[in-house]
Amino acid sequence: MKYIVLYFTMLLFVACSEDSSLIPNIYTGKVTALKNGQTWETPAYFDKLTTETGKYMLRADFYDKNSLKQASFSIRNIVVTLEKQNIRALNNDNNGLTYADFMILIDGDAIDTIYELDTSAVNNYIQITNYDSRLNEIKGEFKVSFKITDRDANNTSGKNPDTIEFSNGNFNVKVNPEWFE
């Protein structure tokens, strides 16, 4: 009987401990930026979009100390080029243009606040600045500003800012070399 109690005690201890293995194993790099002037660093990955041929996505998700996702940031419809790409607001007429989104979550899965691109902001962009074929890595930079959407401005916690600006953004992620041939 004491072994059963010991077993369940150990199981409970392991289940309640901080475990970074709960974070999905999809991240191959990181994003760093100033988020409203504060340093922000989080795991990131670069992946091919299945809906658009030749288009890719940079995704960065922020996790708390308990491995619960707290925020999700992405830039989509990126073309593999070293040229600067302007980020535009998502709408039904996008026709494959690059766009971005950001949301804040509660407890890893409930949406608290959804942000859309702040079209009044100047110079929302992403640029791949380097491709290292030996390491299969890309590096780049970005700047993007968001505002709470009118239609999705749930901001259930009431504590999130009306606008979020990512400035001095940099990313360094592994990529599939076939995408760069």
Side-chain angles (χ1 to χ4, degrees):
M1 178 69 174
K2 70 179 180 180
Y3 292 110
I4 293 173
V5 172
L6 180 61
Y7 172 76
F8 283 111
T9 303
M10 287 177 41
L11 185 62
L12 181 62
F13 177 74
V14 170
C16 293
S17 67
E18 292 179 21
D19 183 3
S20 63
S21 68
L22 297 175
I23 297 173
N25 191 19
I26 56 175
Y27 303 100
T28 63
K30 69 179 180 177
V31 161
T32 59
L34 293 178
K35 179 181 161 218
N36 287 354
Q38 300 295 313
T39 301
W40 193 68
E41 183 174 317
T42 192
Y45 66 93
F46 193 83
D47 201 1
K48 188 173 189 173
L49 292 174
T50 57
T51 57
E52 292 280 337
T53 305
K55 301 285 181 122
Y56 302 87
M57 169 182 65
L58 175 67
R59 171 98 181 244
D61 296 318
F62 181 77
Y63 291 85
D64 69 9
K65 64 180 181 171
N66 296 317
S67 301
L68 294 174
K69 189 186 301 186
Q70 297 298 303
S72 183
F73 169 78
S74 67
I75 301 175
R76 298 171 188 260
N77 285 348
I78 301 167
V79 178
V80 175
T81 178
L82 296 180
E83 295 177 21
K84 189 178 201 179
Q85 299 171 61
N86 292 322
I87 300 172
R88 296 183 174 85
L90 178 62
N91 60 46
N92 292 336
D93 300 324
N94 258 57
N95 296 325
L97 298 175
T98 305
Y99 67 94
D101 55 59
F102 182 74
M103 70 177 71
I104 295 176
L105 305 169
I106 300 171
D107 295 331
D109 60 359
I111 297 173
D112 182 5
T113 308
I114 297 174
Y115 292 84
E116 68 180 17
L117 189 73
D118 183 353
T119 56
S120 68
V122 179
N123 202 20
N124 289 313
Y125 77 94
I126 185 168
Q127 183 173 13
I128 298 170
T129 57
N130 183 37
Y131 168 59
D132 185 329
S133 60
R134 184 177 53 80
L135 297 174
N136 296 321
E137 285 183 342
I138 59 170
K139 294 180 182 181
E141 56 190 42
F142 64 91
K143 178 186 173 293
V144 62
S145 297
F146 296 99
K147 63 182 179 181
I148 292 178
T149 65
D150 289 333
R151 61 185 155 69
D152 293 321
N154 46 5
N155 196 6
T156 57
S157 68
K159 65 181 179 184
N160 298 319
D162 290 340
T163 60
I164 292 181
E165 178 185 63
F166 290 96
S167 58
N168 299 327
N170 293 287
F171 59 92
N172 182 353
V173 289
K174 296 271 187 192
V175 295
N176 184 330
E178 295 171 4
W179 301 339
F180 289 81
E181 292 178 349

